[in-house]
Amino acid sequence: MSEQGRPQVAVAGASGFIGTALCRALAEHHEVVALTRSPARARIPDPERRIGWRRCDLFDVEAVRAGLQGCDLAVYLVHSNAPSSRLTQAAARDMDLILADNFARAAAACGVRQIVFVSALIPEGFEIAPLLWSRREVELTLAAHGTPVSVLRAGLVVGPGGSGLGLLVDLVRRLPLLALPPEARSPTRPIALDDLVRAILLCLERPEDYRGVFDLGGPEWLSHAEMVRQCAEVMGVRRWVFTLPWLPLGVVAWVARRVSGASPALVGPVVESLPQRLRIRDNALQRAIAPSALAFRRALAQSLAADGRHLQPNPRRPIQLEDRAQLREASRVRSIQRIILPPGQDAAWVAGNYFRWLGRCCWPLVASRECADGGWEVGLRLPRVVLLRLRPAAAMSTAQRRVYHIDGGLLARAETGGRFEFHTLLDGRYTMAAIHDYAPALPWYLYLWTQAAIHLRVMRRYQRRLARLAR
């Protein structure tokens, strides 16, 4: 509780379009701690002094613990689409897993009483798009450390600044003819941003009533094709919309990227998620928001700018250019590989196995040596030069997590070397081999074409090795 006796709520992902709307609503009756990885956003104080901003790198579990100190409740709205380093060698779903596990561990350590997570509607059947399966993995990870979790599964969220809705508006505005794949006939239940925020407020502080999964949707079932038609009508433009009996989703994603200018990291997963067989299961939270839920057409009209042809901008947009400039100047690297864990092993075993294997894998050029303090040195055999020196972070390490600081060697900037972590999660199913905030000593473009490419190739080879052991 805060000094005023109001519950303190941490919002992770507070600078996004859902987080911005939620923080404003929460501030009426709660003490709001808005967590952001953006140093530019953290420096801007709330003009009404109702929301406290904390910079928090969710890839660092110690930073997450500091960010959640004193918080009673937490709302998790994080997606890893936004860049967090100049070079990222990682799948979005792998980054999402690490972020969720760090958050769940920190929440349990800080005594947070409830986590509310906004997830995605999961289709019935066995064909689940990677984006949706990633959301399911995050649900499991957030609940793995004992804190009660309320999972709100929502379809397309219709509100100003939404990336999925923004893609839809851009396509309708720019294309006079829209040929859609057959999957666009699949129905879904878009939900207005205001209705989603109401649902979050209803279940906060009631973990005993709203623990588990709750499907949410607006008042109407609409196919993706029908949403395109209604979008054109609301925008006041005439568009020819039809579905083809066959159209590869890869072609759809390519056209959407070229027309909208959106990043592949956004367009690809959204298009892959089109083929769905959805069913919204009856639940108390859906019944509570249903009587006053906004229809798609009305929610869309409220989300458009004054000209009626563009979506209102994402609240994160003003700081994006500054964030990207800072990432480019810092020239840091993030590299994450998901390793299938052999039965009975843990992160401590993977760490030792990896470094010993590295010397054999790269023989006769590279040698690895365990140091007296439990760290490792990786270097050339001839001439005998240390390329990377890794010092163990004993206070941060457990059997399920091995952390090494990269604090020396010819290939690292000694003052800001970064860290190498082996991180076991999902009940021992996987170990993530992750390099965070690594600062290479080589000139940037030389690094990209040499060390970065070699590291990725070596890690993929090690992934295949442990996958064979796990069979």
Side-chain angles (χ1 to χ4, degrees), residues 300-314:
L300 174 62
Q302 293 179 358
S303 304
L304 293 175
D307 63 1
R309 298 291 185 92
H310 296 79
L311 198 65
Q312 294 178 39
N314 191 311

Side-chain angles (χ1 to χ4, degrees), residues 370-425:
E370 188 172 8
C371 303
D373 63 357
W376 290 87
E377 287 185 351
V378 179
L380 297 177
R381 291 181 184 270
L382 290 174
R384 295 181 66 86
V385 176
V386 175
L387 300 177
L388 292 173
R389 184 179 297 110
L390 298 101
R391 174 174 50 84
M396 301 170 61
S397 296
T398 64
Q400 301 303 316
R401 190 188 203 99
R402 270 294 186 268
V403 183
Y404 300 90
H405 293 295
I406 304 172
D407 67 350
L410 193 64
L411 296 180
R413 281 185 267 161
E415 71 280 4
T416 52
R419 65 188 189 278
F420 199 159
E421 296 187 6
F422 296 86
H423 185 165
T424 298
L425 36 68

Side-chain angles (χ1 to χ4, degrees), residues 194-205:
D194 289 346
D195 295 329
L196 177 59
V197 169
R198 283 198 298 123
I200 295 172
L201 295 178
L202 282 170
C203 69
L204 264 181
E205 299 185 72

